[in-house]
């Protein structure tokens, strides 16, 4: 037994204040959700995630394979797998769908008609994919600040596609600052 008294005996009020302020235990766990973010090259996927993560927009580089970002919100954390949109990468998208709980599909509403048709086809494929067809979709029509931007009605010219989308369609201005 030590001959010196314990320091808590000298500072009972300080100890109580310290315990009250610092030792409440770990913060309550926030639920985490796994999402997949897909879209053609240049649609704004990386810019969207960088903006949500408060990252410097000057450091944005096009995704060539995939990247994973944790997007913190007050009540939840979104773990987003962003998949590159290049032609040679899109055929591998389905390998990353497993475990996803939602989909963010980003399209460039000011793209050429050919690119828009390719984006529609990729969206249609994603909506029908067995691992995604029951999940919520966020469809982001990006680049609304460009003169050539199309409205939701112009983007969804395909009747079958517009009828099967009971998901959220969101219009957004360019996310690059």
């Amino acid at each position: 037994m030590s001959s010196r008294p314990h320091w808590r005996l000298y500072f009972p009020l300080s100890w109580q204040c310290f315990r009250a302020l610092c030792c409440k235990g770990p913060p309550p766990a926030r639920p985490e959700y796994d999402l997949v973010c897909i879209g053609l090259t240049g649609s704004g996927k990386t810019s969207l995630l960088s903006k949500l993560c408060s990252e410097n927009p000057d450091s944005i580089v096009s995704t060539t394979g995939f990247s994973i970002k944790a997007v913190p919100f007050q009540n939840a954390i979104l773990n987003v797998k962003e998949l590159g949109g290049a032609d040679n990468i899109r055929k591998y998208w389905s390998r990353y769908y497993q475990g996803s709980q939602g989909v963010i599909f980003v399209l460039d509403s000011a793209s050429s008609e050919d690119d828009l048709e390719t984006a529609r086809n990729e969206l249609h494929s994603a909506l029908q994919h067995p691992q995604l067809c029951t999940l919520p979709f966020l469809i982001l029509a990006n680049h609304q600040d460009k003169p050539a931007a199309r409205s939701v009605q112009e983007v969804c010219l395909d009747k079958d596609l517009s009828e099967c989308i009971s998901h959220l369609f969101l219009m957004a201005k360019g996310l690059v600052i």
Side-chain angles (χ1 to χ4, degrees):
M1 197 119 156
S2 170
S3 62
R4 292 186 321 198
H6 196 273
W7 69 273
R8 282 192 292 180
L9 296 176
Y10 292 110
F11 304 105
L13 184 58
S14 299
W15 177 249
Q16 288 175 347
C17 290
F18 173 79
R19 294 266 313 152
L21 294 173
C22 301
C23 299
K24 292 181 180 178
R30 293 186 284 180
E32 294 189 26
Y33 301 97
D34 296 327
L35 305 177
V36 64
C37 182
I38 55 179
L40 302 185
T41 298
S43 61
K45 300 179 301 293
T46 306
S47 297
L48 168 69
L49 294 176
S50 294
K51 185 84 167 168
L52 289 174
C53 291
S54 301
E55 295 177 349
N56 183 2
D58 296 333
S59 63
I60 295 173
V61 179
S62 184
T63 305
T64 55
F66 75 95
S67 70
I68 300 175
K69 292 205 186 263
V71 181
F73 288 96
Q74 183 176 354
N75 297 326
I77 297 173
L78 303 181
N79 297 311
V80 183
K81 287 185 275 189
E82 178 202 351
L83 308 181
D87 193 28
N88 60 340
I89 295 174
R90 289 194 305 263
K91 59 187 172 188
Y92 299 110
W93 280 359
S94 61
R95 295 181 182 197
Y96 296 91
Y97 291 166
Q98 187 172 3
S100 295
Q101 296 169 290
V103 181
I104 302 170
F105 190 93
V106 182
L107 61 90
D108 181 357
S109 63
S111 64
S112 70
E113 192 57 45
D114 288 342
D115 285 344
L116 186 58
E117 187 59 32
T118 302
R120 284 184 191 123
N121 292 336
E122 293 296 339
L123 174 59
H124 197 47
S125 294
L127 286 166
Q128 292 181 338
H129 193 277
Q131 290 178 318
L132 302 181
C133 65
T134 60
L135 300 180
F137 270 72
L138 168 66
I139 304 166
L140 179 67
N142 197 15
H143 300 142
Q144 288 294 303
D145 55 338
K146 294 184 178 179
R150 294 170 182 84
S151 67
V152 173
Q153 292 76 22
E154 292 171 311
V155 170
C156 281
L157 288 176
D158 183 355
K159 292 274 189 203
D160 294 335
L161 186 59
S162 60
E163 287 175 8
C164 76
I165 297 177
S166 58
H167 313 286
L168 180 60
F169 210 118
L170 186 63
M171 307 297 277
K173 293 185 177 180
L175 296 168
V176 180
I177 298 173

